[in-house]
Amino acid sequence: MKKNIFNLERSQLKEIATSFLKKIEEGLSKQNSEIQCIPTYIEPKSSIDNGKALVLDLGGTNYRAAIVEFTDGYPSIRPQDGWKKKLDVMKEEDFTQEKLLNEQADLICEIDHTLKLPIGYCFSYPAESLLNGDARLIRWTKGIHIKEMIGQPIGKTLLDFLNKQGIAIFTSIKVINDTVASLFAGLAYKNYDAYIGLIVGTGTNMATFIPREHIPKLDKNYEGKGFAPVNLESGNFTPPYLTEVDAMVDELSDSKGRQLFEKAVSGLYLGEIFKAVFPDYNPMEEFNARDLNQMVNNPDLYRCEYVDVANWIFKRSAQLVASSLAGLILVIHKCNPAAQKIYLTAEGSVFWSKIENGKHYSRMVLEELHGLLEEFDLSHIKIDVEEKKNINLIGTAIAALS
């Protein structure tokens, strides 16, 4: 490929940001929109002084369990990064709800059986938040298809199963999306006007706090005050200027016509974009964003055209993320024109990936974002972001104890 078909000009990125803004506003008003804007009916405490919770984190490929304890406002995690388990088997066609519950319970057996604990469950798939803090699965993404769980409450099913096993006594459960968990974790940083949670890893998504009066579809029985956490489910956005290569990746996916932004941005699909450009390229194993990053960082080991295309794919991904952030900041600004300081809690292997002889992915995103904010006359808005460990666990513990 001699021509960079993935190149996006600043004017195109502005158009993508504006489209993203409009789709968010639509999602805040109507159900089942392209960007769903799902309210989370949990009002997080701005700080937790003391408390302890079991935290579960079910992501795209991994599952973790940990005890998170707050003492005088400071969280500690036991064990340090949680008990971990690979759950690639979730993608198998015959994988069932019963198998998933058993896999989860097996890891939880590591905890102290004498404890009585609330559970915070970080569930990284589209789910409708319920008024009692639980959530109902809308659909699976990331190659998973456990059909009997769709439309069912996620938390209560797991809570009842665990209590029947007699592992420990679990008093309650609250279910949040991983992006909302990141959003909640950002509350530890005070004196900001707004907060954004961002995931760019296996999948991609964003969340923020929106004033209640700007969410027409908010359940009238919700008793929260001020701002409501909103899980955008932004991976389902259809941005302008996708290419014929993106259409090929979508055609071969198991979710044709959906998650088009995610398919252009996230780690699960970046390798698929590369393989669509070079159909004769046959890696020995699954080829994903990590392998693409290896190619970018070791250009002498690969053909020049491979390295060029890998760089183009990474750069476009970063540009699209920057455009979506700009669109969300436009929404935040419309809701609160006085907002000038925003804390961005960013998670994900792609967002924090390193590029040895160029700009790291995160730097590409932030530089493009600052350029776009200047274009929208919002250069006075300051964005702070830094890499933190275990923010999903901490944010989910905040939900469990709120």
Side-chain angles (χ1 to χ4, degrees):
M1 178 183 285
K2 295 182 179 180
K3 181 182 177 183
N4 182 3
I5 66 169
F6 301 109
N7 183 58
L8 290 168
E9 302 294 338
R10 181 61 58 78
S11 60
Q12 294 172 313
L13 295 172
K14 281 186 68 177
E15 188 176 336
I16 293 168
T18 302
S19 175
F20 195 78
L21 156 72
K22 292 176 180 176
K23 296 293 176 64
I24 290 174
E25 291 180 330
E26 181 180 303
L28 292 171
S29 299
K30 299 191 300 184
Q31 302 292 346
N32 302 316
S33 297
E34 185 176 304
I35 297 180
Q36 288 183 273
C37 295
I38 304 169
T40 297
Y41 295 111
I42 298 171
E43 187 172 6
K45 293 181 179 178
S46 57
S47 63
I48 304 289
D49 293 328
N50 297 284
K52 185 185 294 187
L54 169 68
V55 175
L56 310 177
D57 180 12
L58 185 64
T61 54
N62 298 304
Y63 166 61
R64 289 192 295 172
I67 301 295
V68 179
E69 182 170 9
F70 288 85
T71 305
D72 297 327
Y74 292 94
S76 61
I77 298 169
R78 185 173 50 114
Q80 187 173 7
D81 294 315
W83 296 280
K84 298 179 182 179
K85 174 185 280 193
K86 276 275 191 185
L87 270 185
D88 291 338
V89 292
M90 286 179 66
K91 296 179 182 179
E92 295 178 358
E93 289 187 11
D94 62 346
F95 198 78
T96 63
Q97 174 178 277
E98 188 75 13
K99 289 180 180 179
L100 177 59
L101 294 171
N102 277 301
E103 291 279 4
Q104 292 177 300
D106 182 56
L107 199 59
I108 294 168
C109 286
E110 303 288 340
I111 72 167
D112 185 342
H113 288 221
T114 64
L115 297 176
K116 291 185 178 181
L117 294 174
I119 298 176
Y121 187 0
C122 182
F123 185 80
S124 305
Y125 301 90
E128 174 193 3
S129 181
L130 304 177
L131 288 173
N132 62 1
D134 202 342
R136 183 183 294 115
L137 179 62
I138 296 172
R139 66 179 181 277
W140 289 105
T141 56
K142 307 169 191 174
I144 296 169
H145 304 279
I146 309 173
K147 293 181 180 179
E148 71 263 39
M149 292 184 67
I150 295 174
Q152 300 302 311
I154 298 153
K156 184 178 186 302
T157 302
L158 178 60
L159 184 72
D160 291 347
F161 183 85
L162 293 176
N163 283 335
K164 284 180 182 177
Q165 304 302 305
I167 296 171
I169 299 173
F170 298 108
T171 56
S172 63
I173 189 165
K174 291 184 179 175
V175 180
I176 59 173
N177 178 273
D178 56 345
T179 324
V180 176
S182 297
L183 176 68
F184 284 9
L187 293 173
Y189 302 91
K190 309 300 181 185
N191 302 318
Y192 284 90
D193 303 314
Y195 296 85
I196 295 172
L198 168 70
I199 305 291
V200 190
T202 304
T204 188
N205 193 15
M206 287 196 292
T208 193
F209 294 104
I210 298 287
R212 289 167 56 94
E213 63 270 22
H214 288 272
I215 315 175
K217 71 178 185 183
L218 197 68
D219 192 306
K220 300 301 184 289
N221 294 314
Y222 177 49
E223 297 179 354
K225 301 174 183 177
F227 292 77
V230 176
N231 162 24
L232 299 187
E233 287 299 334
S234 54
N236 198 48
F237 173 51
T238 300
Y241 304 111
L242 293 179
T243 70
E244 64 267 25
V245 174
D246 297 296
M248 292 166 60
V249 171
D250 179 51
E251 182 70 29
L252 295 172
S253 74
D254 57 3
S255 56
K256 183 179 175 182
R258 302 196 306 272
Q259 300 296 113
L260 297 183
F261 185 77
E262 183 168 84
K263 288 170 184 172
V265 163
S266 72
L268 185 63
Y269 293 101
L270 294 185
E272 297 302 314
I273 297 171
F274 181 88
K275 289 192 294 183
V277 175
F278 299 108
D280 294 332
Y281 183 77
N282 292 308
M284 295 296 291
E285 298 177 354
E286 181 181 351
F287 189 77
N288 55 31
R290 185 169 50 252
D291 304 297
L292 211 61
N293 187 244
Q294 181 78 4
M295 190 176 286
V296 169
N297 285 331
N298 298 278
D300 294 341
L301 302 179
Y302 300 92
R303 287 165 46 182
C304 291
E305 57 264 43
Y306 287 177
V307 177
D308 286 344
V309 171
N311 275 294
W312 296 342
I313 291 169
F314 260 115
K315 182 178 179 181
R316 186 189 66 159
S317 172
Q319 287 181 310
L320 288 172
V321 170
S323 293
S324 66
L325 281 166
L328 180 54
I329 290 168
L330 288 171
V331 173
I332 291 170
H333 178 70
K334 287 183 72 173
C335 293
N336 179 16
Q340 295 191 31
K341 291 180 64 181
I342 298 175
Y343 192 84
L344 170 64
T345 312
E347 264 271 76
S349 56
V350 174
F351 189 86
W352 294 112
S353 59
K354 310 297 183 186
I355 297 174
E356 302 299 334
N357 296 308
K359 295 172 185 173
H360 294 338
Y361 185 97
S362 58
R363 179 50 50 193
M364 287 193 286
V365 171
L366 293 172
E367 287 186 2
E368 196 68 70
L369 174 59
H370 288 308
L372 283 166
L373 291 179
E374 285 184 10
E375 293 279 349
F376 287 114
D377 295 322
L378 296 176
S379 57
H380 62 282
I381 293 180
K382 182 183 179 183
I383 313 295
D384 286 339
V385 60
E386 55 186 317
E387 189 172 8
K388 294 289 186 182
K389 290 188 67 177
N390 293 319
I391 57 176
N392 274 9
L393 298 180
I394 294 169
T396 305
I398 289 172
L401 295 167
S402 292

